Amino acid sequence: MSITLEQAEQAVKAAKAKATEIGTLMNIAVVDAGANLKAFVHMDGAWLGSIDISQRKARTARYFDMPTGEIGKLSQPGGSLYNIEHSNGGLITFPGGIPIKDQSGEIIGAIGVSGSTVENDHTVAQAGVDAISE
Amino acid sequence: MSITLEQAEQAVKAAKAKATEIGTLMNIAVVDAGANLKAFVHMDGAWLGSIDISQRKARTARYFDMPTGEIGKLSQPGGSLYNIEHSNGGLITFPGGIPIKDQSGEIIGAIGVSGSTVENDHTVAQAGVDAISE
Amino acid sequence: MSITLEQAEQAVKAAKAKATEIGTLMNIAVVDAGANLKAFVHMDGAWLGSIDISQRKARTARYFDMPTGEIGKLSQPGGSLYNIEHSNGGLITFPGGIPIKDQSGEIIGAIGVSGSTVENDHTVAQAGVDAISE
Amino acid sequence: MSITLEQAEQAVKAAKAKATEIGTLMNIAVVDAGANLKAFVHMDGAWLGSIDISQRKARTARYFDMPTGEIGKLSQPGGSLYNIEHSNGGLITFPGGIPIKDQSGEIIGAIGVSGSTVENDHTVAQAGVDAISE
């Protein structure tokens, strides 16, 4: 199973609402089960460099089926996945990417958010995830 | 002036409606005045290879402020712009990309559509353009 | 609003004068509001490798609307943006890139300078910024 | 010998004046004897896609020490240099790139111009060349 466009648009809408609620301007990307881009929006005035980062976060989260921040803990100097960022054309491993599960718990895609602190990015991504999983 | 997200989402919505009306499954990308991605959707079941092509069409249309098919006429063997596709990291010069103007006629971005025949791609892109310009 | 060529040439001229004043040979790049290259000069004898770096610094500063050195503080091992340099086709996050604001405070582009110590690079970039903002 | 920045800026200035004289908006790039970018300007409102093309034309002209259009005659289907555009990270082989010689006839760099018809691009590039060679 892969996320539908209707689900992806729900996730984007929920993430956008959360971004507005916490006073941030975000780039929001959703990828499908095959890690291919499904939906994307750039909020007016959001960082241009985060267009690319949000998509990389979403892909990274689906590539390894875990939140990007978890990978980042292991990719530090001396860590077991040191410099894993060099693979797959460039990964982003700080928080803001989260796998999306359907209500049965199956992973059907991922969301990546970039535009503020990594804590805010993660919060907005989680809002997108929750709109589908809950 | 650059296209707003609200305008980009109107263009995507209109293009998606046209795609459904003519029985096609499309990838639809909108870029801003700086040729940066503003919004994107992949309709369920649409070609995966067109995720990239739709974005390149949108960028190509904004790069030269003309429909992509116009460039393609000039980039043929013997044409004045032969092999222009090698520039800018890879252009797409067949129909399906069109600049987006606001109601005053200023170019504020572009739309790129890919997923069917180039005639259908262009028709769907035009529906997106018309939603903003008219 | 995006920086005009006249403004970009003013910024380049001021940066070049500062580079000469402090006895350095610099590469100086200016990008517009869309992070596209607006103007560039390579001073005779300046490092060839800095042709690319100066442009990446300018883009990076506009991508995140902050001086590149600020991003570099956060992209260190253990930092919240560790390895962000892998995004956007390769970022440069040490000092020498600064957003350019117009007199109203709006960001209209960015300047990137490379060719000496990062302190000198930043000093020369700041001279370019000041020529527009003040 | 390689072109100096003073010479490159003369070439850019002359090319810009010619572009204005014939009513066009151009991207103008100058590379040195090593095919590295020496100077660049993007005239306000010029095509964004031509930022890249002007630089490729300048490099292509210096790579082979001949006007880009000459290479384009040979790179057509059936021609002796068919699809040479695939080399060097992407060449542009239609008119608008011309080697720059000093007054002794030695090639010291090249200029590339993009933003209008290839005839206009070539005319503007020639004006830049003449400012140095004559």
Side-chain angles (χ1 to χ4, degrees), chain B residues 71-120:
Chain B
I71 302 167
K73 292 177 188 169
L74 302 173
S75 69
Q76 300 298 316
S80 59
L81 304 181
Y82 175 55
N83 267 350
I84 192 174
E85 294 81 3
H86 287 266
S87 71
N88 291 288
L91 299 177
I92 290 294
T93 60
F94 44 80
I98 310 177
I100 297 176
K101 296 178 182 175
D102 63 16
Q103 292 176 347
S104 74
E106 188 189 357
I107 293 178
I108 55 174
I111 187 169
V113 174
S114 180
S116 178
T117 63
V118 295
E119 290 80 10
N120 283 340

mmCIF file of all heavy atoms in Angstrom, chain B residues 71-120:
data_model
loop_
_atom_site.group_PDB
_atom_site.id
_atom_site.type_symbol
_atom_site.label_atom_id
_atom_site.label_comp_id
_atom_site.label_asym_id
_atom_site.label_seq_id
_atom_site.Cartn_x
_atom_site.Cartn_y
_atom_site.Cartn_z
ATOM 1 N N ILE B 71 10.157 26.071 -27.348
ATOM 2 C CA ILE B 71 11.603 25.842 -27.318
ATOM 3 C C ILE B 71 11.941 24.574 -28.092
ATOM 4 O O ILE B 71 12.922 24.511 -28.831
ATOM 5 C CB ILE B 71 12.099 25.753 -25.856
ATOM 6 C CG1 ILE B 71 11.739 27.050 -25.119
ATOM 7 C CG2 ILE B 71 13.604 25.496 -25.797
ATOM 8 C CD1 ILE B 71 11.888 26.953 -23.620
ATOM 9 N N GLY B 72 11.080 23.567 -27.922
ATOM 10 C CA GLY B 72 11.318 22.288 -28.595
ATOM 11 C C GLY B 72 11.327 22.395 -30.112
ATOM 12 O O GLY B 72 12.009 21.630 -30.800
ATOM 13 N N LYS B 73 10.575 23.362 -30.631
ATOM 14 C CA LYS B 73 10.600 23.557 -32.091
ATOM 15 C C LYS B 73 11.966 24.028 -32.572
ATOM 16 O O LYS B 73 12.358 23.760 -33.714
ATOM 17 C CB LYS B 73 9.538 24.606 -32.499
ATOM 18 C CG LYS B 73 8.099 24.151 -32.309
ATOM 19 C CD LYS B 73 7.150 25.294 -32.661
ATOM 20 C CE LYS B 73 5.712 24.917 -32.299
ATOM 21 N NZ LYS B 73 4.817 26.104 -32.392
ATOM 22 N N LEU B 74 12.659 24.764 -31.710
ATOM 23 C CA LEU B 74 13.949 25.355 -32.084
ATOM 24 C C LEU B 74 15.139 24.477 -31.716
ATOM 25 O O LEU B 74 16.264 24.752 -32.135
ATOM 26 C CB LEU B 74 14.096 26.718 -31.402
ATOM 27 C CG LEU B 74 12.999 27.736 -31.713
ATOM 28 C CD1 LEU B 74 13.161 28.971 -30.843
ATOM 29 C CD2 LEU B 74 13.000 28.100 -33.190
ATOM 30 N N SER B 75 14.894 23.435 -30.898
ATOM 31 C CA SER B 75 16.020 22.625 -30.405
ATOM 32 C C SER B 75 16.214 21.343 -31.204
ATOM 33 O O SER B 75 17.032 20.502 -30.854
ATOM 34 C CB SER B 75 15.807 22.287 -28.923
ATOM 35 O OG SER B 75 14.726 21.387 -28.761
ATOM 36 N N GLN B 76 15.474 21.202 -32.285
ATOM 37 C CA GLN B 76 15.595 20.026 -33.149
ATOM 38 C C GLN B 76 16.936 20.056 -33.907
ATOM 39 O O GLN B 76 17.549 21.107 -34.039
ATOM 40 C CB GLN B 76 14.457 20.006 -34.184
ATOM 41 C CG GLN B 76 13.087 19.957 -33.579
ATOM 42 C CD GLN B 76 12.849 18.704 -32.770
ATOM 43 O OE1 GLN B 76 13.212 17.615 -33.202
ATOM 44 N NE2 GLN B 76 12.271 18.853 -31.586
ATOM 45 N N PRO B 77 17.365 18.902 -34.412
ATOM 46 C CA PRO B 77 18.557 18.885 -35.274
ATOM 47 C C PRO B 77 18.417 19.938 -36.387
ATOM 48 O O PRO B 77 17.366 20.031 -37.027
ATOM 49 C CB PRO B 77 18.554 17.464 -35.845
ATOM 50 C CG PRO B 77 17.880 16.651 -34.793
ATOM 51 C CD PRO B 77 16.819 17.544 -34.208
ATOM 52 N N GLY B 78 19.454 20.744 -36.546
ATOM 53 C CA GLY B 78 19.417 21.802 -37.539
ATOM 54 C C GLY B 78 18.777 23.086 -37.047
ATOM 55 O O GLY B 78 18.883 24.114 -37.705
ATOM 56 N N GLY B 79 18.100 23.033 -35.900
ATOM 57 C CA GLY B 79 17.446 24.223 -35.356
ATOM 58 C C GLY B 79 18.430 25.131 -34.632
ATOM 59 O O GLY B 79 19.539 24.713 -34.286
ATOM 60 N N SER B 80 17.979 26.355 -34.363
ATOM 61 C CA SER B 80 18.908 27.346 -33.813
ATOM 62 C C SER B 80 19.293 27.052 -32.377
ATOM 63 O O SER B 80 20.315 27.544 -31.908
ATOM 64 C CB SER B 80 18.297 28.745 -33.923
ATOM 65 O OG SER B 80 17.070 28.797 -33.217
ATOM 66 N N LEU B 81 18.487 26.272 -31.684
ATOM 67 C CA LEU B 81 18.796 25.966 -30.280
ATOM 68 C C LEU B 81 19.069 24.472 -30.078
ATOM 69 O O LEU B 81 18.779 23.911 -29.022
ATOM 70 C CB LEU B 81 17.645 26.413 -29.360
ATOM 71 C CG LEU B 81 17.227 27.876 -29.435
ATOM 72 C CD1 LEU B 81 16.096 28.146 -28.445
ATOM 73 C CD2 LEU B 81 18.410 28.794 -29.141
ATOM 74 N N TYR B 82 19.639 23.827 -31.085
ATOM 75 C CA TYR B 82 19.867 22.379 -31.029
ATOM 76 C C TYR B 82 20.601 21.965 -29.746
ATOM 77 O O TYR B 82 21.635 22.524 -29.408
ATOM 78 C CB TYR B 82 20.687 21.941 -32.251
ATOM 79 C CG TYR B 82 21.079 20.486 -32.252
ATOM 80 C CD1 TYR B 82 20.120 19.486 -32.132
ATOM 81 C CD2 TYR B 82 22.416 20.113 -32.347
ATOM 82 C CE1 TYR B 82 20.483 18.152 -32.123
ATOM 83 C CE2 TYR B 82 22.785 18.781 -32.344
ATOM 84 C CZ TYR B 82 21.811 17.802 -32.225
ATOM 85 O OH TYR B 82 22.172 16.479 -32.210
ATOM 86 N N ASN B 83 20.021 21.002 -29.066
ATOM 87 C CA ASN B 83 20.594 20.438 -27.830
ATOM 88 C C ASN B 83 20.685 21.421 -26.673
ATOM 89 O O ASN B 83 21.488 21.233 -25.751
ATOM 90 C CB ASN B 83 21.965 19.805 -28.108
ATOM 91 C CG ASN B 83 21.838 18.317 -28.419
ATOM 92 O OD1 ASN B 83 20.766 17.729 -28.249
ATOM 93 N ND2 ASN B 83 22.916 17.695 -28.863
ATOM 94 N N ILE B 84 19.804 22.422 -26.655
ATOM 95 C CA ILE B 84 19.727 23.319 -25.488
ATOM 96 C C ILE B 84 19.386 22.540 -24.223
ATOM 97 O O ILE B 84 19.644 22.985 -23.108
ATOM 98 C CB ILE B 84 18.665 24.428 -25.730
ATOM 99 C CG1 ILE B 84 18.777 25.538 -24.669
ATOM 100 C CG2 ILE B 84 17.263 23.867 -25.765
ATOM 101 C CD1 ILE B 84 17.852 26.728 -24.924
ATOM 102 N N GLU B 85 18.825 21.347 -24.407
ATOM 103 C CA GLU B 85 18.408 20.528 -23.264
ATOM 104 C C GLU B 85 19.566 20.175 -22.328
ATOM 105 O O GLU B 85 19.347 19.764 -21.179
ATOM 106 C CB GLU B 85 17.732 19.231 -23.745
ATOM 107 C CG GLU B 85 16.411 19.437 -24.464
ATOM 108 C CD GLU B 85 16.566 19.829 -25.934
ATOM 109 O OE1 GLU B 85 17.705 19.896 -26.440
ATOM 110 O OE2 GLU B 85 15.525 20.082 -26.570
ATOM 111 N N HIS B 86 20.799 20.317 -22.803
ATOM 112 C CA HIS B 86 21.943 19.995 -21.951
ATOM 113 C C HIS B 86 22.235 21.071 -20.904
ATOM 114 O O HIS B 86 23.083 20.855 -20.040
ATOM 115 C CB HIS B 86 23.193 19.777 -22.817
ATOM 116 C CG HIS B 86 23.163 18.493 -23.584
ATOM 117 N ND1 HIS B 86 23.725 17.337 -23.125
ATOM 118 C CD2 HIS B 86 22.601 18.180 -24.770
ATOM 119 C CE1 HIS B 86 23.538 16.368 -23.999
ATOM 120 N NE2 HIS B 86 22.858 16.854 -25.016
ATOM 121 N N SER B 87 21.575 22.200 -21.006
ATOM 122 C CA SER B 87 21.847 23.290 -20.057
ATOM 123 C C SER B 87 20.997 23.152 -18.799
ATOM 124 O O SER B 87 20.063 22.346 -18.743
ATOM 125 C CB SER B 87 21.569 24.640 -20.720
ATOM 126 O OG SER B 87 20.184 24.824 -20.897
ATOM 127 N N ASN B 88 21.344 23.938 -17.807
ATOM 128 C CA ASN B 88 20.518 24.065 -16.601
ATOM 129 C C ASN B 88 20.206 22.732 -15.923
ATOM 130 O O ASN B 88 19.128 22.552 -15.366
ATOM 131 C CB ASN B 88 19.206 24.786 -16.951
ATOM 132 C CG ASN B 88 19.426 26.244 -17.307
ATOM 133 O OD1 ASN B 88 19.723 27.048 -16.426
ATOM 134 N ND2 ASN B 88 19.332 26.586 -18.588
ATOM 135 N N GLY B 89 21.156 21.811 -16.002
ATOM 136 C CA GLY B 89 20.961 20.529 -15.336
ATOM 137 C C GLY B 89 19.972 19.623 -16.021
ATOM 138 O O GLY B 89 19.579 18.587 -15.465
ATOM 139 N N GLY B 90 19.550 20.007 -17.254
ATOM 140 C CA GLY B 90 18.612 19.166 -17.983
ATOM 141 C C GLY B 90 17.259 19.829 -18.167
ATOM 142 O O GLY B 90 16.489 19.931 -17.215
ATOM 143 N N LEU B 91 16.975 20.269 -19.386
ATOM 144 C CA LEU B 91 15.684 20.886 -19.690
ATOM 145 C C LEU B 91 14.750 19.870 -20.329
ATOM 146 O O LEU B 91 15.201 18.870 -20.910
ATOM 147 C CB LEU B 91 15.867 22.059 -20.664
ATOM 148 C CG LEU B 91 16.739 23.220 -20.193
ATOM 149 C CD1 LEU B 91 16.865 24.259 -21.309
ATOM 150 C CD2 LEU B 91 16.154 23.861 -18.942
ATOM 151 N N ILE B 92 13.461 20.125 -20.260
ATOM 152 C CA ILE B 92 12.468 19.374 -21.042
ATOM 153 C C ILE B 92 11.781 20.380 -21.945
ATOM 154 O O ILE B 92 11.236 21.386 -21.467
ATOM 155 C CB ILE B 92 11.458 18.655 -20.130
ATOM 156 C CG1 ILE B 92 12.146 17.511 -19.389
ATOM 157 C CG2 ILE B 92 10.270 18.124 -20.946
ATOM 158 C CD1 ILE B 92 12.628 16.354 -20.254
ATOM 159 N N THR B 93 11.807 20.110 -23.252
ATOM 160 C CA THR B 93 11.379 21.118 -24.234
ATOM 161 C C THR B 93 10.202 20.670 -25.095
ATOM 162 O O THR B 93 9.917 21.286 -26.118
ATOM 163 C CB THR B 93 12.562 21.492 -25.160
ATOM 164 O OG1 THR B 93 12.992 20.319 -25.843
ATOM 165 C CG2 THR B 93 13.719 22.071 -24.369
ATOM 166 N N PHE B 94 9.521 19.595 -24.681
ATOM 167 C CA PHE B 94 8.268 19.284 -25.392
ATOM 168 C C PHE B 94 7.093 19.866 -24.591
ATOM 169 O O PHE B 94 7.265 20.295 -23.444
ATOM 170 C CB PHE B 94 8.131 17.776 -25.672
ATOM 171 C CG PHE B 94 8.481 16.840 -24.553
ATOM 172 C CD1 PHE B 94 7.589 16.592 -23.520
ATOM 173 C CD2 PHE B 94 9.704 16.191 -24.541
ATOM 174 C CE1 PHE B 94 7.899 15.700 -22.503
ATOM 175 C CE2 PHE B 94 10.040 15.308 -23.521
ATOM 176 C CZ PHE B 94 9.135 15.059 -22.507
ATOM 177 N N PRO B 95 5.898 19.924 -25.180
ATOM 178 C CA PRO B 95 4.803 20.669 -24.552
ATOM 179 C C PRO B 95 4.399 20.143 -23.167
ATOM 180 O O PRO B 95 4.556 18.958 -22.862
ATOM 181 C CB PRO B 95 3.655 20.507 -25.560
ATOM 182 C CG PRO B 95 4.330 20.353 -26.882
ATOM 183 C CD PRO B 95 5.542 19.499 -26.553
ATOM 184 N N GLY B 96 3.856 21.067 -22.358
ATOM 185 C CA GLY B 96 3.392 20.732 -21.026
ATOM 186 C C GLY B 96 3.866 21.713 -19.963
ATOM 187 O O GLY B 96 3.440 21.647 -18.820
ATOM 188 N N GLY B 97 4.724 22.648 -20.359
ATOM 189 C CA GLY B 97 5.161 23.707 -19.449
ATOM 190 C C GLY B 97 4.733 25.051 -19.993
ATOM 191 O O GLY B 97 4.922 25.317 -21.180
ATOM 192 N N ILE B 98 4.135 25.899 -19.151
ATOM 193 C CA ILE B 98 3.623 27.211 -19.586
ATOM 194 C C ILE B 98 3.865 28.239 -18.486
ATOM 195 O O ILE B 98 3.601 27.953 -17.318
ATOM 196 C CB ILE B 98 2.101 27.158 -19.889
ATOM 197 C CG1 ILE B 98 1.745 25.983 -20.820
ATOM 198 C CG2 ILE B 98 1.624 28.474 -20.485
ATOM 199 C CD1 ILE B 98 0.244 25.855 -21.090
ATOM 200 N N PRO B 99 4.347 29.437 -18.854
ATOM 201 C CA PRO B 99 4.470 30.504 -17.848
ATOM 202 C C PRO B 99 3.098 30.874 -17.286
ATOM 203 O O PRO B 99 2.083 30.770 -17.990
ATOM 204 C CB PRO B 99 5.070 31.674 -18.636
ATOM 205 C CG PRO B 99 5.689 31.066 -19.849
ATOM 206 C CD PRO B 99 4.840 29.874 -20.169
ATOM 207 N N ILE B 100 3.081 31.289 -16.041
ATOM 208 C CA ILE B 100 1.853 31.776 -15.405
ATOM 209 C C ILE B 100 1.965 33.288 -15.260
ATOM 210 O O ILE B 100 2.924 33.797 -14.687
ATOM 211 C CB ILE B 100 1.648 31.138 -14.012
ATOM 212 C CG1 ILE B 100 1.481 29.625 -14.136
ATOM 213 C CG2 ILE B 100 0.442 31.761 -13.306
ATOM 214 C CD1 ILE B 100 1.376 28.901 -12.793
ATOM 215 N N LYS B 101 0.955 33.986 -15.792
ATOM 216 C CA LYS B 101 0.906 35.445 -15.649
ATOM 217 C C LYS B 101 -0.192 35.813 -14.665
ATOM 218 O O LYS B 101 -1.193 35.103 -14.546
ATOM 219 C CB LYS B 101 0.616 36.092 -17.013
ATOM 220 C CG LYS B 101 1.706 35.862 -18.037
ATOM 221 C CD LYS B 101 1.359 36.487 -19.383
ATOM 222 C CE LYS B 101 2.467 36.197 -20.397
ATOM 223 N NZ LYS B 101 2.125 36.682 -21.752
ATOM 224 N N ASP B 102 -0.006 36.933 -13.979
ATOM 225 C CA ASP B 102 -1.103 37.440 -13.168
ATOM 226 C C ASP B 102 -2.047 38.248 -14.074
ATOM 227 O O ASP B 102 -1.853 38.311 -15.284
ATOM 228 C CB ASP B 102 -0.591 38.259 -11.987
ATOM 229 C CG ASP B 102 0.166 39.504 -12.397
ATOM 230 O OD1 ASP B 102 0.053 39.927 -13.563
ATOM 231 O OD2 ASP B 102 0.878 40.064 -11.551
ATOM 232 N N GLN B 103 -3.059 38.836 -13.485
ATOM 233 C CA GLN B 103 -4.076 39.486 -14.318
ATOM 234 C C GLN B 103 -3.551 40.738 -15.015
ATOM 235 O O GLN B 103 -4.141 41.218 -15.980
ATOM 236 C CB GLN B 103 -5.319 39.776 -13.478
ATOM 237 C CG GLN B 103 -6.008 38.453 -13.076
ATOM 238 C CD GLN B 103 -7.192 38.641 -12.157
ATOM 239 O OE1 GLN B 103 -7.379 39.711 -11.609
ATOM 240 N NE2 GLN B 103 -7.996 37.598 -12.002
ATOM 241 N N SER B 104 -2.408 41.258 -14.552
ATOM 242 C CA SER B 104 -1.804 42.422 -15.216
ATOM 243 C C SER B 104 -0.875 42.001 -16.354
ATOM 244 O O SER B 104 -0.337 42.839 -17.069
ATOM 245 C CB SER B 104 -1.007 43.239 -14.205
ATOM 246 O OG SER B 104 0.210 42.572 -13.879
ATOM 247 N N GLY B 105 -0.672 40.673 -16.500
ATOM 248 C CA GLY B 105 0.171 40.194 -17.586
ATOM 249 C C GLY B 105 1.615 39.916 -17.194
ATOM 250 O O GLY B 105 2.394 39.436 -18.014
ATOM 251 N N GLU B 106 1.962 40.199 -15.945
ATOM 252 C CA GLU B 106 3.327 39.935 -15.480
ATOM 253 C C GLU B 106 3.517 38.439 -15.216
ATOM 254 O O GLU B 106 2.624 37.781 -14.664
ATOM 255 C CB GLU B 106 3.599 40.715 -14.184
ATOM 256 C CG GLU B 106 5.055 40.650 -13.738
ATOM 257 C CD GLU B 106 5.267 41.239 -12.348
ATOM 258 O OE1 GLU B 106 4.288 41.741 -11.756
ATOM 259 O OE2 GLU B 106 6.402 41.174 -11.854
ATOM 260 N N ILE B 107 4.673 37.913 -15.628
ATOM 261 C CA ILE B 107 4.965 36.506 -15.353
ATOM 262 C C ILE B 107 5.363 36.347 -13.894
ATOM 263 O O ILE B 107 6.293 37.010 -13.414
ATOM 264 C CB ILE B 107 6.080 35.992 -16.284
ATOM 265 C CG1 ILE B 107 5.583 35.967 -17.733
ATOM 266 C CG2 ILE B 107 6.543 34.601 -15.855
ATOM 267 C CD1 ILE B 107 6.613 35.530 -18.752
ATOM 268 N N ILE B 108 4.645 35.480 -13.185
ATOM 269 C CA ILE B 108 4.885 35.294 -11.751
ATOM 270 C C ILE B 108 5.321 33.874 -11.417
ATOM 271 O O ILE B 108 5.551 33.553 -10.243
ATOM 272 C CB ILE B 108 3.612 35.644 -10.936
ATOM 273 C CG1 ILE B 108 2.408 34.825 -11.439
ATOM 274 C CG2 ILE B 108 3.315 37.137 -11.025
ATOM 275 C CD1 ILE B 108 1.150 35.003 -10.591
ATOM 276 N N GLY B 109 5.445 33.015 -12.425
ATOM 277 C CA GLY B 109 5.854 31.631 -12.195
ATOM 278 C C GLY B 109 5.576 30.805 -13.433
ATOM 279 O O GLY B 109 5.467 31.359 -14.535
ATOM 280 N N ALA B 110 5.473 29.495 -13.244
ATOM 281 C CA ALA B 110 5.157 28.628 -14.383
ATOM 282 C C ALA B 110 4.602 27.308 -13.862
ATOM 283 O O ALA B 110 4.797 26.944 -12.700
ATOM 284 C CB ALA B 110 6.403 28.368 -15.234
ATOM 285 N N ILE B 111 3.897 26.605 -14.746
ATOM 286 C CA ILE B 111 3.347 25.289 -14.416
ATOM 287 C C ILE B 111 3.905 24.266 -15.394
ATOM 288 O O ILE B 111 4.124 24.578 -16.569
ATOM 289 C CB ILE B 111 1.796 25.314 -14.451
ATOM 290 C CG1 ILE B 111 1.206 23.996 -13.935
ATOM 291 C CG2 ILE B 111 1.288 25.634 -15.847
ATOM 292 C CD1 ILE B 111 -0.306 24.075 -13.707
ATOM 293 N N GLY B 112 4.149 23.057 -14.885
ATOM 294 C CA GLY B 112 4.593 21.964 -15.729
ATOM 295 C C GLY B 112 3.751 20.736 -15.464
ATOM 296 O O GLY B 112 3.510 20.394 -14.302
ATOM 297 N N VAL B 113 3.271 20.090 -16.519
ATOM 298 C CA VAL B 113 2.397 18.922 -16.392
ATOM 299 C C VAL B 113 2.953 17.790 -17.231
ATOM 300 O O VAL B 113 3.380 17.997 -18.378
ATOM 301 C CB VAL B 113 0.961 19.261 -16.841
ATOM 302 C CG1 VAL B 113 0.084 18.025 -16.861
ATOM 303 C CG2 VAL B 113 0.363 20.337 -15.925
ATOM 304 N N SER B 114 2.970 16.583 -16.653
ATOM 305 C CA SER B 114 3.458 15.406 -17.375
ATOM 306 C C SER B 114 2.718 14.170 -16.903
ATOM 307 O O SER B 114 2.464 14.000 -15.703
ATOM 308 C CB SER B 114 4.968 15.239 -17.138
ATOM 309 O OG SER B 114 5.473 14.112 -17.817
ATOM 310 N N GLY B 115 2.353 13.301 -17.873
ATOM 311 C CA GLY B 115 1.663 12.071 -17.496
ATOM 312 C C GLY B 115 0.847 11.452 -18.623
ATOM 313 O O GLY B 115 0.335 10.356 -18.479
ATOM 314 N N SER B 116 0.751 12.145 -19.752
ATOM 315 C CA SER B 116 -0.074 11.632 -20.846
ATOM 316 C C SER B 116 0.590 12.056 -22.158
ATOM 317 O O SER B 116 1.804 12.242 -22.216
ATOM 318 C CB SER B 116 -1.490 12.204 -20.708
ATOM 319 O OG SER B 116 -2.327 11.771 -21.769
ATOM 320 N N THR B 117 -0.186 12.183 -23.226
ATOM 321 C CA THR B 117 0.381 12.739 -24.459
ATOM 322 C C THR B 117 0.796 14.184 -24.196
ATOM 323 O O THR B 117 0.265 14.835 -23.287
ATOM 324 C CB THR B 117 -0.666 12.732 -25.589
ATOM 325 O OG1 THR B 117 -1.744 13.591 -25.196
ATOM 326 C CG2 THR B 117 -1.208 11.337 -25.835
ATOM 327 N N VAL B 118 1.696 14.702 -25.015
ATOM 328 C CA VAL B 118 2.099 16.093 -24.796
ATOM 329 C C VAL B 118 0.936 17.042 -25.062
ATOM 330 O O VAL B 118 0.857 18.121 -24.460
ATOM 331 C CB VAL B 118 3.333 16.478 -25.643
ATOM 332 C CG1 VAL B 118 4.548 15.662 -25.202
ATOM 333 C CG2 VAL B 118 3.080 16.307 -27.133
ATOM 334 N N GLU B 119 0.001 16.643 -25.911
ATOM 335 C CA GLU B 119 -1.171 17.487 -26.154
ATOM 336 C C GLU B 119 -2.018 17.567 -24.875
ATOM 337 O O GLU B 119 -2.459 18.652 -24.470
ATOM 338 C CB GLU B 119 -2.015 16.928 -27.304
ATOM 339 C CG GLU B 119 -1.369 17.055 -28.671
ATOM 340 C CD GLU B 119 -0.313 15.973 -28.939
ATOM 341 O OE1 GLU B 119 -0.220 15.006 -28.141
ATOM 342 O OE2 GLU B 119 0.436 16.109 -29.933
ATOM 343 N N ASN B 120 -2.232 16.405 -24.260
ATOM 344 C CA ASN B 120 -2.994 16.417 -23.011
ATOM 345 C C ASN B 120 -2.234 17.155 -21.902
ATOM 346 O O ASN B 120 -2.840 17.882 -21.109
ATOM 347 C CB ASN B 120 -3.277 14.976 -22.560
ATOM 348 C CG ASN B 120 -4.388 14.326 -23.358
ATOM 349 O OD1 ASN B 120 -5.201 15.019 -23.987
ATOM 350 N ND2 ASN B 120 -4.423 12.998 -23.362
#
